[in-house]
Amino acid sequence: MVTQSATLKSKEEIIERMKKPEVITGSEMLLRSLVLEGVECVFGYPGGAVLYIYDAMHGFKDFHHVLTRHEQGAIHAADGYARASGKVGVCIATSGPGATNLVTGIATAYMDSVPLVVITGNVATSAIGTDAFQEADITGITMPITKHSYLVRRVEDLPRIIHEAFHIANTGRKGPVLIDIPKDVSAAKALFKPVTEVNIRGYNPTVAPHKPQIDKLLQAIAEAERPLILAGGGVIYSGGHEELYEFVTKTNIPVTTTLLGLGGFPSGHELWLGMPGMHGTYASNKAIQAADLLINIGARFDDRVTMKLSGFAPNAKIAHIDIDPAEIGKNVPTDIPIVGDIKTVLTIINREAKPAAKADAWRAQTQAWKKEVPLKYKDSDTELKPQWVIEMIHDTTGGDAIVTTDVGQHQMWAAQFYRFNKPRSWITSGGLGTMGFGFPSAIGAQMAHPDRLVVSINGDGGMQMCAQELAVCAINNIPVKVAIINNQVLGMVRQWQEIIYDNRYSHIDLAGSPDFVKLAEAYGVKGFRATNKEEARSAWEAALRHPGPAVVEFVVRKEENVYPMVTQGNTIDEMIMGDAE
């Protein structure tokens, strides 16, 4: 049996060995630098321009490399790893098509502020700009969707660049950083000296807030009669969930959490009102529109939250706490701007925070909205309803699983009907809305937490965009449990076409999709199918008992819609309630 102290000792020995100055290749520098940055898992796909790097990996056991079946699978897996662990996700791809296959994943991470270091190969420096075989200007292509990027021209610069890349990715407003390494640079040799310091001119994110702004917020809370907290993904990314809980406990202010903020505040708390926006709860949306003080903590006032901007929170003074000053006032005029790290800001606020003394009637009103108009749907004993499936998954996992989703109706049902009480247990593509994200991100989350249950909830459309990664689960025995909500249609597109486009259904039929049970079995993964409640319970429980990866296809009602729904051009309190009406 290997003890923890022995494991720590071996890690320390590895690090000391990696620090040793030595003349080595750029590829070896890269691997050593990754280990020194604490990297334990890398997702990638080799090709010509990164062959020296992969040659250096031969027999290399100081981090785990997962060979995916598509570069998009690699970067979504790295993204899921980062979101689940709080560490920087790392992926590697070759030049040209390998690099361009990463673009959607880079944009996904950029929109959701996920720290990634993306390593691409390039043609030799002498061939750059000649339209050489598999050449693409990946730094130019990705410039709008990376926090920073490097084209490495000298092998001596690699240790510094890699250290800077990890620092940039995981500080301030987090995001993806790209390192493009020409093939001759990866082959060249130089003296390797580890870099431990960072000095980047012009990059110095504000962490501590301006104290007078804190005082303004505390005064506004004391005067407010209808205060409300809007908590976003920044709470989770900063590790500030405990500080948020303390802030709510001290002030007794109701809370609504955005799609990416789910899990940042426990859903079982009586002051939690649900998720706001297009498919938000009645209580959350009504509260935003009636609030006289809206405290935005780590959210960016996304259009799916605000809907009609000119009618958003019309009665509220707006306070906005964010690490990125560019977000404050960008979409919604801000009265009390506070720039700083969420955890740090809340720690300072909590020293002086007091109950919102004038808000007793307001709390009663928000609780009444929550009680009078909860999320609901018409259940059926003859058809399998997707909302019921999500509730069943929640009940059987105790709400303790890490849940990833793809994008569409199933994503919104999961956000509504799975109750999250812990941060980093909800992984979904928010800003970009990337189909194909859900399943490979679950692989990354499982690699980050091998001892936790990871459930990937997908639609029948998005599942087919990265279904080839089933091979990765089978070969590596990664025990992700995949739930496919199969309504044989592009569900959210169908819903919009029904409600907004007068039932003109155009090119949404997915009835020709594969038999997902056979598809899973073809990859060596256990497959199940359910068409009613009894089958659903049995199949899901069998999947949970199975020690390896498993796929359960839930065949659900095609016509089911996500409610509440706010259509574009309307304010968030102008909700279509659907079955609740």
Side-chain angles (χ1 to χ4, degrees):
M1 180 178 175
V2 179
T3 64
Q4 186 177 9
S5 60
T7 303
L8 291 172
K9 185 178 179 181
S10 68
K11 283 185 178 180
E12 290 170 359
E13 289 172 348
I14 290 169
I15 290 171
E16 287 305 311
R17 173 164 49 86
M18 293 293 170
K19 286 181 178 178
K20 181 182 177 183
E22 193 175 353
V23 176
I24 55 176
T25 67
S27 297
E28 293 169 316
M29 288 185 187
L30 171 64
L31 302 190
R32 285 194 182 192
S33 297
L34 292 179
V35 173
L36 292 174
E37 294 296 336
V39 173
E40 297 176 340
C41 185
V42 173
F43 304 88
Y45 201 96
V50 290
L51 282 182
Y52 285 116
I53 296 172
Y54 274 87
D55 185 54
M57 273 193 221
H58 184 72
F60 190 86
K61 297 181 179 178
D62 293 328
F63 60 69
H64 187 67
H65 178 277
V66 177
L67 173 64
T68 59
R69 293 305 182 265
H70 193 288
E71 291 89 355
Q72 187 168 341
I75 193 161
H76 289 332
D79 186 317
Y81 180 94
R83 296 192 203 218
S85 67
K87 300 176 182 179
V88 178
V90 181
C91 66
I92 301 177
T94 193
S95 64
T100 57
N101 278 343
L102 298 174
V103 170
T104 297
I106 294 171
T108 300
Y110 183 77
M111 289 284 280
D112 289 351
S113 305
V114 178
L116 297 183
V117 168
V118 181
I119 299 160
T120 56
N122 208 333
V123 299
T125 52
S126 60
I128 290 175
T130 68
D131 291 333
F133 177 69
Q134 289 193 334
E135 181 189 0
D137 178 10
I138 195 62
T139 55
I141 290 168
T142 61
M143 188 173 292
I145 53 169
T146 51
K147 190 174 177 186
H148 193 62
S149 60
Y150 295 91
L151 172 58
V152 186
R153 291 188 174 272
R154 298 185 339 125
V155 67
E156 294 87 354
D157 295 334
L158 258 174
R160 172 187 59 80
I161 285 172
I162 293 164
H163 190 56
E164 285 181 3
F166 275 82
H167 175 74
I168 293 169
N170 208 29
T171 55
R173 181 176 180 172
K174 302 178 183 185
V177 176
L178 184 133
I179 305 174
D180 195 32
I181 307 175
K183 191 171 183 178
D184 58 324
V185 173
S186 66
K189 288 188 175 182
L191 179 63
F192 172 73
K193 291 182 179 180
V195 176
T196 57
E197 295 182 357
V198 176
N199 183 17
I200 305 171
R201 187 175 64 182
Y203 181 72
N204 188 25
T206 299
V207 175
H210 191 47
K211 184 60 168 61
Q213 297 303 100
I214 300 289
D215 295 337
K216 287 180 183 178
L217 176 58
L218 291 170
Q219 183 63 33
I221 291 171
E223 295 172 356
E225 296 181 1
R226 300 183 304 280
L228 180 68
I229 294 168
L230 172 68
V235 171
I236 296 169
Y237 299 152
S238 71
H241 55 281
E242 292 180 352
E243 287 73 17
L244 174 62
Y245 188 88
E246 182 182 352
F247 179 56
V248 174
T249 301
K250 287 186 172 182
T251 61
N252 286 322
I253 298 175
V255 184
T256 176
T257 47
T258 68
L259 180 69
L260 293 183
L262 293 173
F265 188 79
S267 62
H269 197 286
E270 65 174 359
L271 288 175
W272 185 70
L273 303 181
M275 181 178 72
M278 176 178 279
H279 295 294
T281 63
Y282 181 85
S284 287
N285 287 353
K286 291 288 285 186
I288 287 173
Q289 295 303 86
D292 64 0
L293 174 64
L294 181 61
I295 307 169
N296 180 335
I297 306 177
R300 58 185 179 86
F301 284 127
D302 175 75
D303 59 289
R304 288 293 176 94
V305 168
T306 63
M307 300 308 292
K308 185 180 180 180
L309 263 176
S310 61
F312 178 75
N315 305 301
K317 176 181 287 188
I318 304 293
H320 192 170
I321 306 170
D322 206 291
I323 190 72
D324 184 0
E327 286 297 339
I328 297 178
K330 186 179 81 174
N331 295 328
V332 175
T334 303
D335 301 289
I336 307 173
I338 302 176
V339 179
D341 170 70
I342 300 298
K343 183 181 177 74
T344 303
V345 173
L346 288 177
T347 299
I348 294 170
I349 291 174
N350 286 335
R351 295 171 188 161
E352 301 179 49
K354 294 180 175 61
K358 299 181 180 180
D360 289 347
W362 169 245
R363 280 188 291 273
Q365 175 62 76
T366 58
Q367 290 302 306
W369 283 327
K370 184 177 174 181
K371 183 178 180 180
E372 291 165 7
V373 191
L375 290 168
K376 62 175 71 173
Y377 62 96
K378 286 184 179 179
D379 201 1
S380 172
D381 292 325
T382 57
E383 294 179 300
L384 197 56
K385 289 295 188 83
Q387 302 96 324
W388 181 90
V389 172
I390 303 299
E391 289 182 321
M392 185 267 295
I393 291 174
H394 174 271
D395 292 343
T396 54
T397 62
D400 290 330
I402 296 174
V403 176
T404 78
T405 76
D406 216 86
V407 171
Q409 286 181 313
H410 71 276
Q411 177 191 31
M412 293 298 104
W413 285 316
Q416 291 176 335
F417 291 97
Y418 197 99
R419 299 294 183 173
F420 298 94
N421 291 312
K422 298 177 183 177
R424 301 195 181 279
S425 56
W426 166 248
I427 296 170
T428 196
S429 172
L432 200 65
T434 304
M435 289 181 68
F437 172 85
F439 175 47
S441 69
I443 294 174
Q446 189 75 82
M447 294 300 295
H449 295 285
D451 297 328
R452 286 191 66 182
L453 173 63
V454 177
V455 176
S456 182
I457 302 174
N458 299 270
D460 48 318
M463 184 64 194
Q464 293 180 74
M465 293 191 175
C466 282
Q468 69 277 353
E469 305 307 333
L470 284 166
V472 178
C473 286
I475 293 166
N476 297 284
N477 196 32
I478 300 171
V480 172
K481 311 304 179 187
V482 182
I484 300 174
I485 308 298
N486 186 0
N487 56 8
Q488 301 182 60
V489 72
L490 284 170
M492 191 60 84
V493 180
R494 189 211 63 78
Q495 178 169 336
W496 279 48
Q497 289 178 347
E498 174 192 331
I499 296 172
I500 303 171
Y501 295 90
D502 298 326
N503 297 302
R504 294 189 296 275
Y505 301 117
S506 179
H507 302 286
I508 54 167
D509 187 2
L510 295 180
S513 298
D515 181 323
F516 287 105
V517 174
K518 289 183 178 179
L519 181 66
E521 292 172 346
Y523 280 106
V525 173
K526 194 75 173 176
F528 305 88
R529 179 180 294 106
T531 59
N532 56 49
K533 288 182 177 179
E534 183 178 353
E535 291 175 353
R537 289 192 190 95
S538 177
W540 184 245
E541 288 171 1
L544 291 177
R545 289 194 303 269
H546 182 63
V551 172
V552 183
E553 177 188 7
F554 296 97
V555 181
V556 300
R557 181 175 181 265
K558 181 185 297 186
E559 295 78 17
E560 198 70 15
N561 287 335
V562 179
Y563 294 115
M565 180 182 181
V566 180
T567 56
Q568 290 181 325
N570 290 316
T571 56
I572 58 171
D573 56 347
E574 296 177 299
M575 292 169 273
I576 302 171
M577 301 305 296
D579 294 341
E581 289 180 317

